[in-house]
Amino acid sequence: MIRRPPRSTLSSSSAASDVYKRQAVIQFQRPAKLNSFREQDTNELNRILSECSSNPDVRAVILTGQGKYYSAGADFASSVKPQRPSTLRKHVTEFNQETFDAYLTFPKPLFAAVNGPAIGMAVTTASLTDFVIASNTATFHTPFVALGIPAEGCSSFNFERILGAANAERMIVKGEKIDANTALEMGLVGKVVPDSELLATAKQVAMEWISAGRGRPYVEAGLLTKLREVNKQESIALGKAVTDVKFFRIQMAKCTARGDRTGAWVFWTLVMLNPLLSRL
């Protein structure tokens, strides 16, 4: 008999999991914030993934979002606070590496059911799953250059491997937003279906994968060590980027544009204090 674990949520109900027919469905449940990830949300997701890893009743995991968005990616404004650049750099480097390593080292088949727009780390983590099923309303956008950050989530290597050099440049360098059918043509997505059929299709794909005894393709291809090294180097580069005044100014402008006074104040403070904090 399949054990149906209690729903696991944060106080903001940012993530929940359920198990049925040996598949765990993990849903991002922060729709008011477009399912963007604060650090606490990422920690909660990693905890649920760890539980699924050790649960013998779980043979595969499906990730999806609640509401119109799959996920708007990292919520920098809710995660950053004024501190010494060296402290922030170390924390971001280690946290980013751990975040993507959780996907890379997950020992069971992992699927993404992308129900709407996916931005930044939502795209790169989806690319680290074994198969992506997209709703016809889904879009994929990695605006790294506009955000003042380098490629992350192994995309500096993995996108060219999956999509080819020209398409990787469209995503990473040009920051082009692509729709589901374009993502299918590129190879980022394996199947596009109407929104009403998304989760049922993802469960069917997962069931067929399990029945065929398939594992994780990049592990079977001997790429795990390479991907983890790429993640390590990207995380170091990200740690440097997010302690740069250019990044602070970009984030301050974005917070101001969307009326987030608290976030704008945090990044304004970082801009003002950076010369002093950098000497500490």
Side-chain angles (χ1 to χ4, degrees), residues 186-208:
M186 285 184 173
L188 181 62
V189 165
K191 190 182 288 286
V192 177
V193 298
D195 186 64
S196 61
E197 301 174 13
L198 179 65
L199 197 54
T201 302
K203 290 178 177 179
Q204 182 61 36
V205 169
M207 183 61 68
E208 292 172 359

Side-chain angles (χ1 to χ4, degrees), residues 48-115:
I48 296 173
L49 285 173
S50 180
E51 288 182 357
C52 290
S53 175
S54 59
N55 186 343
D57 291 334
V58 175
R59 293 279 303 279
V61 169
I62 300 167
L63 304 173
T64 194
Q66 183 184 71
K68 294 183 178 180
Y69 269 64
Y70 176 70
S71 171
D75 185 350
F76 284 114
S78 296
S79 302
V80 174
K81 59 184 179 181
Q83 56 190 296
R84 289 195 301 177
S86 60
T87 302
L88 177 60
R89 184 182 306 116
K90 182 176 186 295
H91 174 70
V92 169
T93 298
E94 293 175 352
F95 187 82
N96 192 77
Q97 186 174 350
E98 291 169 1
T99 296
F100 292 104
D101 269 352
Y103 286 80
L104 291 170
T105 61
F106 188 72
K108 301 174 183 180
L110 188 59
F111 304 91
V114 181
N115 56 294

Side-chain angles (χ1 to χ4, degrees), residues 163-237:
L163 313 176
N167 287 329
E169 182 179 9
R170 289 171 65 184
M171 295 287 291
I172 295 174
V173 179
K174 298 179 180 179
E176 182 178 336
K177 182 194 295 185
I178 61 172
D179 61 24
N181 287 320
T182 302
L184 179 65
E185 293 171 3
M186 285 184 173
L188 181 62
V189 165
K191 190 182 288 286
V192 177
V193 298
D195 186 64
S196 61
E197 301 174 13
L198 179 65
L199 197 54
T201 302
K203 290 178 177 179
Q204 182 61 36
V205 169
M207 183 61 68
E208 292 172 359
W209 200 284
I210 293 170
S211 298
R214 299 182 65 182
R216 306 211 61 190
Y218 60 76
V219 174
E220 295 171 349
L223 290 171
L224 179 57
T225 299
K226 172 64 176 179
L227 288 168
R228 293 193 70 182
E229 179 59 27
V230 170
N231 181 34
K232 178 181 178 181
Q233 295 305 318
E234 287 179 347
S235 297
I236 292 171

